[in-house]
Amino acid sequence: MTTTTNSCAALIVAGGSGQRFGSPIPKQYLDLAGKPVIRHAVEAFLNHPDIGRVRVVADPAHAAYLRAALEGLDIGNPIDGGATRQDSVLRGLDALAREGDVQRVLIHDAARPLIDADTITRVCRALDEGPAAIAAVRVTDTLKRGDRGRVDGTVSRDGLWRAQTPQGFHFGPLHSAHRAAAGQAMTDDAALAEGAGIPVLLIPGNEDNLKVTTEDDLRRAERLLASPSPVDVRVGNGYDVHRFGPGDHVMLCGVAIPHDQGLEGHSDADVGLHALTDALLGAIGAGDIGQHFPPSDPRWRGAESDQFLKHAVELVQARGGQITHVDVTLICERPKIGPVRSRMAERIAAILGLAVDRVSVKATTSERLGFTGRGEGIAAQATATVVMQTGARP
Ligand code: MG
């Protein structure tokens, strides 16, 4: 990704006076689930890692509403909007150009409060592929042309998309297109880009990213915000066995326990941490411990197994996962686990960066049955629960 946080700016356009809305207060300043509509939109961009700065263009007649709505947010000075949306955007672009160091800009309607982080990401990253990209959703309803309550014909929906915002652009070409087209009244910036011959990519938007135009829209946005985001929970399991051999201690769950035998293995043979590492890898579908740390690799001879577990934790985090709970069961007749169980849980909690009440270590015998019952080795099984981040909204 070549987008840098310094060079990609977001311009939130709140120019409209909202005549279509039955309220004396412009729609973008109305309350939506506890904060103004515009604040939802501005915060989505301020909180996004790909966006370096956020600026707002608004009707100067609404300055008091704007100040109240965005109090405490880092948006610089509001930019005074013009007579039309197009004029307002041009003024915003002029202001960004004066600030300097802007390579890319995302333009977003203040009246789209449900914009999600994933859509912002997709539009930002599409600007690596071309000079312009807009969020849009395919038209799926059958379209009718009609007049005075009667259908005049059916319009093919083939190739039809509904344009949303954000619309993203390489800054220079868009600014030039806007200056050249000043005085027209285009309803979106992509139309100006198209007019200037700039290719525009269609990026899948989100049906929930609605524009609050009517009171029904505001109620629908409220319902969407009230519905819980789907939670993506992954559960992985792991299993491992190591055979007893000569030695004077065993490593179990990161704790050395004096014993009249040791465990054989290419690393420190910590069967508990190995099972747990596999459980974490399983939760994110990232293979198994043997793939990441081949037994044939001399680097891992005698290695402490913490590093295998730490590596799995890093992989989980890199994929946006949060470990919420792990459970390890050790299966052996000896040594006795009870006296060291809480130390094991503390050790695992420290490696995983978890509160100790999110870590369970248990032990059982196998009633003298099987290889663990005969004292030939120790087995361990583990379960890990991982919650994947799905963004503010899916
Ligand atoms: Mg192992």
Side-chain angles (χ1 to χ4, degrees):
M1 190 183 66
T2 57
T3 305
T4 68
T5 52
N6 289 327
S7 63
C8 190
L11 196 61
I12 311 299
V13 185
S17 56
Q19 294 97 333
R20 278 177 287 182
F21 213 85
S23 163
I25 303 177
K27 64 200 175 191
Q28 57 270 30
Y29 304 112
L30 291 177
D31 180 84
L32 168 62
K35 56 186 166 188
V37 167
I38 187 174
R39 193 175 181 103
H40 288 271
V42 169
E43 286 181 347
F45 287 87
L46 278 175
N47 294 336
H48 197 284
D50 291 353
I51 301 295
R53 79 189 104 149
V54 179
R55 296 292 179 263
V56 177
V57 192
D59 185 336
H62 301 149
Y65 291 130
L66 186 74
R67 251 195 320 275
L70 300 183
E71 197 188 343
L73 298 184
D74 177 19
I75 54 145
N77 290 323
I79 300 155
D80 288 347
T84 64
R85 184 188 186 282
Q86 185 180 328
D87 191 22
S88 293
V89 172
L90 175 56
R91 288 170 184 229
L93 297 175
D94 288 343
L96 284 170
R98 284 193 296 275
E99 285 185 26
D101 186 32
V102 54
Q103 310 301 319
R104 296 166 176 205
V105 62
L106 263 54
I107 298 171
H108 184 70
D109 293 329
R112 291 188 190 270
L114 300 190
I115 180 61
D116 59 294
D118 288 346
T119 300
I120 296 173
T121 302
R122 284 195 295 274
V123 174
C124 274
R125 300 200 176 163
L127 295 177
D128 291 341
E129 314 300 323
I134 65 170
V137 291
R138 262 187 196 284
V139 172
T140 53
D141 294 329
T142 298
L143 296 178
K144 300 292 183 191
R145 178 172 286 117
D147 193 22
R148 295 176 214 165
R150 285 182 53 160
V151 170
D152 285 342
T154 298
V155 179
S156 169
R157 68 186 173 209
D158 279 1
L160 289 186
W161 295 70
R162 288 185 287 126
Q164 301 182 329
T165 66
Q167 302 193 341
F169 304 90
H170 291 185
F171 186 83
L174 180 74
H175 197 195
S176 301
H178 257 280
R179 277 193 294 220
Q184 299 178 19
M186 298 284 194
T187 57
D188 81 349
D189 303 287
L192 278 165
E194 294 155 36
I198 299 169
V200 180
L201 295 170
L202 283 168
I203 302 304
N206 184 336
E207 279 291 347
D208 289 353
N209 179 24
L210 60 89
K211 187 170 185 180
V212 175
T213 307
T214 65
E215 293 198 37
D216 277 351
D217 298 330
L218 193 61
R219 280 193 288 270
R220 195 177 143 220
E222 258 159 13
R223 283 196 302 275
L224 287 166
L225 279 173
S227 62
S229 307
V231 179
D232 183 359
V233 178
R234 313 283 181 88
V235 176
N237 77 78
Y239 177 76
D240 196 30
V241 173
H242 282 265
R243 176 194 295 275
F244 279 123
D248 59 6
H249 73 282
V250 293
M251 284 301 293
L252 287 176
C253 295
V255 176
I257 306 169
H259 192 54
D260 53 14
Q261 287 177 296
L263 287 172
E264 292 178 356
H266 73 289
S267 64
D268 65 5
D270 188 328
V271 67
L273 293 192
H274 293 182
L276 185 51
T277 301
D278 262 356
L280 288 175
L281 295 174
I284 55 168
D288 62 40
I289 190 170
Q291 282 171 255
H292 293 272
F293 303 97
S296 54
D297 188 332
R299 265 188 304 169
W300 313 124
R301 184 167 300 139
E304 294 178 2
S305 297
D306 317 25
Q307 58 192 302
F308 306 153
L309 186 55
K310 281 180 190 145
H311 180 69
V313 171
E314 285 164 11
L315 287 177
V316 169
Q317 289 168 345
R319 295 188 187 196
Q322 187 187 358
I323 303 163
T324 58
H325 174 256
V326 297
D327 184 17
V328 180
T329 302
L330 300 167
I331 306 162
C332 58
E333 304 292 328
R334 293 174 59 241
K336 289 291 170 213
I337 303 301
V340 285
R341 205 167 68 152
S342 59
R343 270 173 62 206
M344 292 175 170
E346 283 160 17
R347 182 79 195 104
I348 290 172
I351 297 169
L352 300 182
L354 280 186
V356 77
D357 67 351
R358 292 178 179 274
V359 176
S360 160
V361 176
K362 315 194 295 300
T364 184
T365 71
S366 50
E367 296 287 332
R368 299 183 184 277
L369 296 169
F371 68 87
T372 52
R374 292 189 296 271
E376 294 167 4
I378 299 182
Q381 56 190 38
T383 306
T385 306
V386 171
V387 176
M388 306 302 283
Q389 309 298 322
T390 55
R393 297 193 62 78

